[in-house]
Structures are given as structure tokens and as C-alpha cells.
Amino acid sequence: MTERRQSIHGEWSSRLAFILAATGSAVGLGNIWKFPYITGEYGGGAFVLVYLACIAVIGIPIMMAEVMIGRRGRQSPVNTMRTLATEEGHNPLWQYLGWAGVLSGFLILSFYSVVAGWAMAYVPRVASGMFTGTSPEKVASIFGDLIGDPERLLAWHTLFMGLTMIVVSRGVRSGLEQAVRILMPALFLLLVILVGYSLSAADFASGVRFLFAPDFSKLSWEGVLVAMGHAFFTLSLGMGAIMVYGSYLPSHASIAKTTIIIAGADTLVALLAGLAIFPLVFSHGLTPGAGPGLIFQTLPIAFGQMWGGAFFGFLFFILLSFAAWTSAISLIEPIVAWLVENRGLSRIKATVWAGGITWALGLGSLLSLNLWQDFKIIKWGILDFVDKLTTNVMLPLGGLAIAIFAAWIMSRESTEDELAIENPLFYQLWRFFVRYITPVAVVVVFLNAIGVIQVGKG
Ligand code: TRP
């Protein structure tokens, strides 16, 4: 057994602190903005079922693998992969997996920050009563005005990146814990209130049917790929975010239990968001496949009609912005940790570099909504393209490589020692999943989706 390493960046104060931070990373725009709109686009029930299966079969085993690798290496993903690969007698080129993660982090955060800006922009809009008693058409046009205005978007994108950089520069441990402890339960409660509103005032039955009654004729291989990609995205997997958080995890904490709690909380939030939104979609004659604007075109209707709507709406968008913020922090942390370790930069300097580059990249996504609307890569604008490239390609491939690393490169002794699962059967099960099931599932979904896309083109 190797001697336990220590992280130069410090450790979480407890297992609970890690759970809070990792849940803060997992729960974000993915759950509340993305999950409902992709579920709408890919037909509902059957898509949701595949997504849930991906969380269980791919997400949970890979999350365990990431946390385990992180804790064993105790450095940024780049250095962790290099150290562990060498230690296990393999090629240090595995560090490039860490680099791929750094690239994904930059790309994801660049558009994530723009969308988080939309959520922040809605705080003053709902609070001022702008939506009170308005028609769905007016609500949609308010959203259109926002994303059509590059200057406003720029202000919010800049503010969001600035706020993210403040936390990251001070070290993710100070402040994050306390904030997540209060704000996550508050967000949860607000979602429950919204579901209550949809239950009493909207077409709840149609919403539930859409979400949970699977109609497999509506499911394509592309839909399966998107569901799988989203399982990675929503759990923050495949690029080293959870790995770097794992590198700050105290040695005695149980990785298996923690992972299940985090994945469970994340899934619950997504389903609640769906239950709040789809009844509104159906009772107001909107289309489930409305795309990325879906929550901004549905929830304000509810806030415009319900009792105390301006207040609840104000709280909701604050909490959503906050959830995005705690996710953004984890996207940039692997990069900052590497800059501190290898370039000897202070955390502040490292954050300014990493944040500045991300901010600049984000301008592409931001302008693709308005001035550069006609510029397409293949058939998507920059924001959509970067989102699809990272979520559906880079994260699953990163996850595949992580599974291979955990199950084929690291020795059985190392993983058994680091995971320290009491029940040997449970360890066997994990190992079987990351060795065979997860890699095969990712490859099969990929090949089929590529095949289908090519057939579609021809
Ligand atoms: N999981 C977050 C969400 O659902 C986004 C996120 C944070 C993420 N860190 C990540 C996605 C790392 C992929 C990889 O909003």
C-alpha cells in the first residue's frame, strides 16, 4: 500500500462538506434549464427513462471512479493522472486525459456563463413585476429581447464570470460550504412550491404523462446519445471536476455512499424541475420542444399568475443563478489547481488567467445569439455547437477513458484500497461495471448515434 498523499490545496473539513460541494457542482443549469428542454426536444418519457438508466449504469460507477482517482492522486487531474499512471507502471501520457478535461472545462464554462447570465438577468425582471398577468407571447418576447441584446448579455456574462472568479481565487473551500448548506435546501423548497403550483393551477396530468409514460417510437439513437451525454453533464463527470473535488476529500470518507447521495439529490432536482415546467407547457398551449428558452418562457407565466409570484420568482432566479455559480466553480477548479501546481502562480493570478480565457471564449457563444446569428458550424450556432460537442462527445469520451483508467490501468489492489468498500460483493459489482458495462455502453451508444447521423445525412 502506498503512503497517503496530501493535497497542497487543503482538504474539505468533513465528508459532509464534500457532499455539499459536489452537490453544488452537480446541481445547476443542467438540472433546471437543460434537462427540461432536452426532454421536451427528444419526446419525453422514453428519453427520461434512458437518462435515468444512464445515471445508474454509467454515472454512478464513473463518479465513484473519478472521486477515487482524485483522492488517490491528490493533485489537479493532469498531475494526478500522470502520477498514478507512472506509479502503476503505465505510460505518463495518461496526463493528456487531464488536459482533455481542462479543454472541456474551458469550453463548457464559456457557454455556461452566458446562460447563467440569462438566469441573473431574470432576477430584476421578475422582481419588478414585469410578468404579472402577461400572456405567454409577451413572456416569449421578453426572452427574445434579452438574448437579442449583446450589450446586456455581455454585462451579465461578465458579472457571472467575475463572481465565479472571486470564489475560485479565494480557494473553493472557504465560503462554498456554508453557502451550499443554506441555498441548496432553499432551491429545493422553491421547486417544491412550483410543483405545488403546477399541481393546483396547470395541466399536471399531461405533464406527468409526458415525463413518465415512455413512448419508444419517439426515441432515436441521437436521443439516446443526448441522454447519455446529459448524464455526464448533470453529474459533472468526464472532465475532472469531481476528480479535483475528490482530491480534497478526507481519507476515511466512504466514496460509494457519498456518490449515491450526490447522484440521488441531483436526479431529484431535475425531476422536480420537469414536474414544475411541463404542466405549464401543456396548460398554456406551448410546445415542449421550444428549445433552450423553455424555462424562461414557461416559469415566468407561473410567476406572473401565482400569489406572491414576483417574490417567489425573484427568489427562484437568485437561487438558480447561485446553483449555476457553484457549478461554474467546479468547471474552472481543475485548471486553476494545475496552474498553481505547475506554474507556481498564486491562486489569484491563476484564476485571472483561467477566468479571462473563459470569458473571452464565451463571447463567441454570446454573439451567436444575435450579431453572429447566421454563422453556423455544421448546422449549429456557436453556443449550440460548443454545448453539443462537449456534452455529447467530449464528456462521454472522457468518461470512457476514466473508466478504462480506473478498471484496467490501476491495479485491483489500489482501487480496492482507495474505495475501501466494506461489502466485497459491492466492490465486485463496481469493478464489473467500470470494466465492462460502462465502456461497452458508451461505445455502443456512440457508434449507433454516429451511424444514424450519417445515414440521416445521406
Ligand atoms: N453539473 C452542472 C450542471 O448540471 C454543470 C457542471 C459543473 C459540469 N461541472 C461540470 C458539467 C463538469 C460537466 C463537467 O449544471
Side-chain angles (χ1 to χ4, degrees):
M1 200 212 279
T2 45
E3 210 180 296
R4 302 249 176 247
R5 288 187 190 85
Q6 299 244 316
S7 168
I8 61 162
H9 312 279
E11 265 185 25
W12 303 109
S13 60
S14 63
R15 182 176 85 117
L16 180 66
F18 169 76
I19 294 181
L20 288 168
T23 309
S25 164
V27 174
L29 296 170
N31 307 61
I32 294 170
W33 161 70
K34 207 175 198 191
F35 172 72
Y37 99 72
I38 55 177
T39 298
E41 281 182 345
Y42 289 94
F47 176 87
V48 174
L49 210 62
V50 174
Y51 155 75
L52 292 175
C54 288
I55 294 283
V57 172
I58 303 177
I60 292 180
I62 293 199
M63 190 185 269
M64 286 176 61
E66 270 204 38
V67 178
M68 173 203 70
I69 294 170
R71 187 168 71 182
R72 197 145 190 99
R74 291 247 185 255
Q75 301 153 69
S76 66
V78 173
N79 290 328
T80 285
M81 302 297 306
R82 187 192 322 101
T83 310
L84 294 186
T86 321
E87 188 173 284
E88 304 277 351
H90 287 269
N91 199 312
L93 285 177
W94 275 97
Q95 69 178 292
Y96 285 100
L97 179 54
W99 282 113
V102 165
L103 183 63
S104 304
F106 273 129
L107 291 175
I108 295 174
L109 187 53
S110 74
F111 76 83
Y112 201 87
S113 168
V114 173
V115 178
W118 305 350
M120 292 206 302
Y122 267 59
V123 174
R125 282 173 176 67
V126 222
S128 67
M130 204 176 204
F131 296 104
T132 312
T134 45
S135 64
E137 292 76 36
K138 181 80 181 59
V139 171
S141 85
I142 291 175
F143 179 69
D145 288 346
L146 172 69
I147 64 167
D149 182 343
E151 282 163 24
R152 283 209 190 135
L153 291 182
L154 179 65
W156 292 111
H157 166 57
T158 308
L159 179 62
F160 183 80
M161 276 312 301
L163 290 172
T164 303
M165 287 160 70
I166 290 175
V167 181
V168 176
S169 66
R170 299 173 61 207
V172 292
R173 285 163 312 113
S174 57
L176 190 59
E177 249 178 276
Q178 284 310 322
V180 176
R181 198 190 296 258
I182 300 163
L183 293 159
M184 277 291 145
L187 178 65
F188 187 79
L189 197 72
L190 249 140
L191 280 171
V192 172
I193 293 176
L194 279 171
V195 174
Y197 176 81
S198 282
L199 182 63
S200 65
D203 190 354
F204 202 68
S206 297
V208 171
R209 216 177 307 122
F210 183 76
L211 271 175
F212 297 114
D215 173 358
F216 284 95
S217 68
K218 288 192 189 153
L219 191 70
S220 56
W221 273 108
E222 188 191 334
V224 176
L225 176 68
V226 171
M228 180 178 78
H230 186 64
F232 283 99
F233 187 93
T234 193
L235 294 178
S236 306
L237 300 177
M239 56 77 56
I242 289 295
M243 195 183 289
V244 82
Y245 276 16
S247 73
Y248 311 145
L249 181 66
S251 306
H252 53 270
S254 152
I255 292 177
K257 282 185 206 138
T258 348
T259 298
I260 289 169
I261 296 172
I262 298 162
D266 185 79
T267 308
L268 193 62
V269 171
L271 295 178
L272 283 175
L275 281 175
I277 288 160
F278 285 108
L280 292 166
V281 169
F282 294 111
S283 65
H284 290 93
L286 303 165
T287 38
L294 187 66
I295 68 159
F296 297 96
Q297 293 166 354
T298 48
L299 291 181
I301 301 177
F303 294 130
Q305 292 176 352
M306 70 199 273
W307 178 86
F311 173 70
F312 286 125
F314 165 76
L315 264 186
F316 175 81
F317 283 107
I318 288 206
L319 293 170
L320 179 59
S321 310
F322 179 80
W325 188 41
T326 55
S327 299
I329 291 165
S330 75
L331 279 161
I332 202 171
E333 178 66 14
I335 309 170
V336 171
W338 178 81
L339 285 171
V340 171
E341 286 165 11
N342 289 45
R343 298 273 134 221
L345 297 187
S346 66
R347 269 199 84 90
I348 296 187
K349 276 206 184 121
T351 307
V352 170
W353 272 105
I357 293 173
T358 316
W359 176 86
L361 283 175
L363 299 179
S365 288
L366 191 159
L367 291 170
S368 74
L369 301 166
N370 35 68
L371 302 180
W372 294 356
Q373 223 166 25
D374 298 326
F375 175 73
K376 302 279 179 217
I377 306 174
I378 310 174
K379 59 177 178 183
W380 300 285
I382 298 176
L383 194 155
D384 280 346
F385 177 78
V386 176
D387 180 1
K388 284 182 202 299
L389 174 71
T390 49
T391 308
N392 302 337
V393 182
M394 295 176 73
L395 296 180
L397 289 183
L400 173 66
I402 289 167
I404 292 173
F405 188 85
W408 296 93
I409 298 295
M410 289 179 75
S411 68
R412 190 194 169 97
E413 293 70 51
S414 310
T415 55
E416 213 167 4
D417 171 52
E418 196 62 51
L419 284 172
I421 300 173
E422 281 157 32
N423 186 339
L425 207 72
F426 198 63
Y427 173 78
Q428 293 285 10
L429 196 68
W430 170 80
R431 191 164 153 89
F432 180 73
F433 267 77
V434 278
R435 264 179 106 86
Y436 305 105
I437 307 284
T438 313
V440 169
V442 173
V443 170
V444 166
V445 173
F446 242 112
L447 293 182
N448 275 294
I450 290 171
V452 169
I453 289 163
Q454 280 175 343
V455 171
K457 264 195 203 153

